[in-house]
Amino acid sequence: MTIAVFPGSFDPLTNGHLDLIARASRMFDQLVIAVGQNTSKQGVFSPAERVAFIEASVATLPNVSVQIESGLTVAFMREIHATVLVRGLRNSVDFEYEQGIAGMNRALDANIDTVCLMADPQYQFVSSSLLREVARFGGDLTKLVPPVVAHALTARLESEG
């Protein structure tokens, strides 16, 4: 049985993430979404909130589970016996970034393989920072994020004033 991990901050979860999750779930026996904290970014939602959004959005995918992780992704992968790391690529900048991370992960654990999936063209421009900006100014997020996330993001940013 092949266990794959799709790590990320998912702050917020996007339809692009969901597309990658659905595609990866068809490729591997088990897919674990690892919700982490990006230490270089200021988060909008807590890890528990992000887990809840993802669980609600992937409920129809029986081989997908969601866990909070902290620390090195390769250590988390060893704990759950995962051998494949799934990443999404939107553009050449993502490729350069992910290439370095894949090399480091391979150096830390030679049993970890990284699989990169190209983002669907309709989501290649979507980023967390752009979504927050659109939400902050009242833009329509319905084609970009799941409904539960659109509502929560709008409410959170309105409350921050």
Side-chain angles (χ1 to χ4, degrees):
M1 177 163 85
T2 302
I3 302 171
V5 171
F6 182 28
S9 59
F10 305 103
D11 192 29
L13 175 69
T14 71
N15 288 343
H17 292 133
L18 289 177
D19 176 64
L20 294 170
I21 291 167
R23 290 163 49 203
S25 75
R26 295 190 301 265
M27 299 171 74
F28 303 104
D29 298 309
Q30 185 178 355
L31 179 65
V32 178
I33 310 306
V35 176
Q37 183 66 41
N38 187 332
T39 56
S40 65
K41 294 181 183 177
Q42 177 65 28
V44 175
F45 298 111
S46 72
E49 288 172 309
R50 290 180 269 147
V51 166
F53 297 150
I54 297 168
E55 287 177 338
S57 300
V58 302
T60 61
L61 301 173
N63 65 329
V64 176
S65 61
V66 187
Q67 294 185 39
I68 294 174
E69 67 131 340
S70 59
L72 292 174
T73 300
V74 293
F76 173 76
M77 292 178 70
R78 273 190 225 112
E79 288 174 23
I80 65 169
H81 307 288
T83 57
V84 178
L85 184 65
V86 176
R87 299 300 294 159
L89 300 177
R90 294 172 296 180
N91 52 42
S92 60
V93 174
D94 283 355
F95 175 80
E96 293 287 331
Y97 178 75
E98 294 298 341
Q99 185 179 31
I101 291 175
M104 179 59 74
N105 287 337
R106 188 90 172 148
L108 293 172
D109 189 330
N111 295 313
I112 302 294
D113 287 310
T114 299
V115 172
C116 293
L117 299 176
M118 297 304 301
D120 187 300
Q122 68 180 322
Y123 303 121
Q124 287 179 345
F125 64 91
V126 177
S127 71
S128 297
S129 57
L130 282 175
L131 287 173
R132 288 191 296 269
E133 192 74 9
V134 169
R136 188 168 280 113
F137 290 102
D140 183 8
L141 299 176
T142 56
K143 293 181 183 174
L144 305 173
V145 298
V148 65
V149 173
H151 176 72
L153 184 59
T154 301
R156 178 68 46 93
L157 294 175
E158 284 175 358
S159 72
E160 291 176 359

